[in-house]
Amino acid sequence: MTVLRRLAPNHLTTHLRHHRMRRLATVAAAVWQDTTVWTQAPLSGIEPAAESLFHVRIDVLDSPDLAASHTRAGQYLQLRVPDVEKPSFLAIASPPSDAASKGAFDFLVKSVAGSTAELLCGLKRGDVVELSQAMGRGFDIEQIEPAEKYPTVLIFATGSGISPIRSLIESGFNADKRSDVRLYYGARNVKRMAYQDRFKDWESSGVKIVPVLSQPDDNWTGESNYVQAAFSRAKQIYSPTGTGVVLCGQKQMTEHLCLTLETIDDLN
């Protein structure tokens, strides 16, 4: 998950390389450390979000220190289910303000056979799980402020990668003060696209939603193929140095988009 302030090739490549190394180091330390503080918290809600995806809400009202650890969109935490030692790393889908105002963390969880996530999706309301404190630096939105200096923000997400993007959009980053904010959101088909019920609110906040389906049915009239292909068809970046980019999804998507963005910058 990366926020890029400008589209200069050297900056782009170096930033992503350093980000990956930092993230790998952080994840490795989190996995191997034995000093993680675990907090028990009950599930207050679990329901289908899309095909193979579940909305999971966890009550942290009685855990103020845990709630306070979520300070920025894009953070994640570790979660353990009963009788399973191996944790799952989950991006927090709700904005940080929800922890204080609602006493809750929301997650969008993909149920993968044999994983901790599958066990989590099989729990019910009232079941207790264990959470670490929120981790990571999250999205460094300060890199694309003030809004008038960075009028274009391009956001790319695929599958469950939309989870931290929801947190970003609902946290607010002055989208309504920018001239061009686009979210390219990719899924296999409509049934696998979560948060469709939030699209209208996101649009109202200033974010144009561009759904992209890789395997649409015959009734689909929107963008198809992959998000990188949809963006390549549109492009329309008028000021590369005034553009911010948020990437959250598969490696193939991020690498392809980085090359495309570098090309655009070279042409300007």
Side-chain angles (χ1 to χ4, degrees):
M1 295 173 283
T2 306
V3 177
L4 303 179
R5 182 174 60 184
R6 52 195 297 269
L7 304 183
N10 290 339
H11 173 85
L12 187 65
T13 303
T14 302
H15 185 98
L16 286 176
R17 184 183 299 118
H18 287 175
H19 174 79
R20 288 177 186 139
M21 292 175 66
R22 184 171 63 249
R23 184 175 181 185
L24 286 172
T26 300
V27 172
V31 170
W32 291 106
Q33 69 174 311
D34 57 3
T35 57
T36 301
V37 176
W38 295 98
T39 301
Q40 291 189 336
L43 270 67
S44 57
I46 183 165
E47 60 184 15
E51 190 175 275
S52 301
L53 294 171
F54 289 82
H55 292 299
V56 176
R57 171 165 287 194
I58 297 178
D59 185 349
V60 295
L61 192 60
D62 293 331
S63 306
D65 289 344
L66 175 59
S69 70
H70 187 206
T71 59
R72 180 180 280 184
Q75 288 183 296
Y76 58 95
L77 51 68
Q78 297 180 82
L79 180 148
R80 293 195 307 200
V81 299
D83 303 320
V84 178
E85 185 174 349
K86 184 178 180 180
S88 181
F89 288 84
L90 298 175
I92 304 172
S94 48
S97 59
D98 275 15
S101 64
K102 301 178 181 178
F105 283 162
D106 286 351
F107 302 91
L108 181 67
V109 183
K110 183 177 182 180
S111 181
V112 179
S115 69
T116 300
E118 181 186 36
L119 297 175
L120 172 62
C121 294
L123 298 179
K124 61 184 183 299
R125 181 173 180 172
D127 286 342
V128 174
V129 296
E130 291 184 318
L131 304 177
S132 73
Q133 291 205 334
M135 307 166 66
R137 295 177 59 186
F139 294 115
D140 191 4
I141 295 302
E142 288 78 9
Q143 290 194 53
I144 54 172
E145 295 290 352
E148 58 269 20
K149 190 175 180 180
Y150 301 97
T152 300
V153 176
L154 305 172
I155 307 171
F156 302 92
T158 58
S160 59
I162 194 65
S163 177
I165 299 304
R166 175 200 152 189
S167 183
L168 172 65
I169 293 173
E170 296 181 8
S171 294
F173 58 99
N174 295 315
D176 59 341
K177 297 180 181 179
R178 305 177 195 267
S179 58
D180 182 16
V181 180
R182 281 175 269 162
L183 166 60
Y184 289 86
Y185 176 17
R188 181 177 298 177
N189 52 50
V190 172
K191 292 181 179 179
R192 293 206 172 194
M193 184 164 280
Y195 297 143
Q196 294 180 56
D197 58 328
R198 295 178 178 268
F199 285 0
K200 184 178 293 186
D201 289 339
W202 293 357
E203 293 260 8
S204 296
S205 73
V207 180
K208 179 182 178 181
I209 313 297
V210 185
V212 185
L213 303 184
S214 60
Q215 297 180 19
D217 61 26
D218 294 337
N219 297 320
W220 180 249
T221 58
E223 291 285 351
S224 58
N225 205 312
Y226 297 103
V227 294
Q228 55 266 37
F231 172 69
S232 294
R233 289 192 290 270
K235 292 192 175 75
Q236 296 177 337
I237 296 181
Y238 303 110
S239 175
T241 56
T243 297
V245 182
V246 181
L247 304 173
C248 189
Q250 299 171 343
K251 181 180 179 181
Q252 180 182 4
M253 176 199 76
T254 57
E255 290 182 345
H256 187 283
L257 283 168
C258 286
L259 290 173
T260 301
L261 294 167
E262 287 176 4
T263 301
I264 292 172
D265 193 46
D266 286 342
L267 293 175
N268 284 269

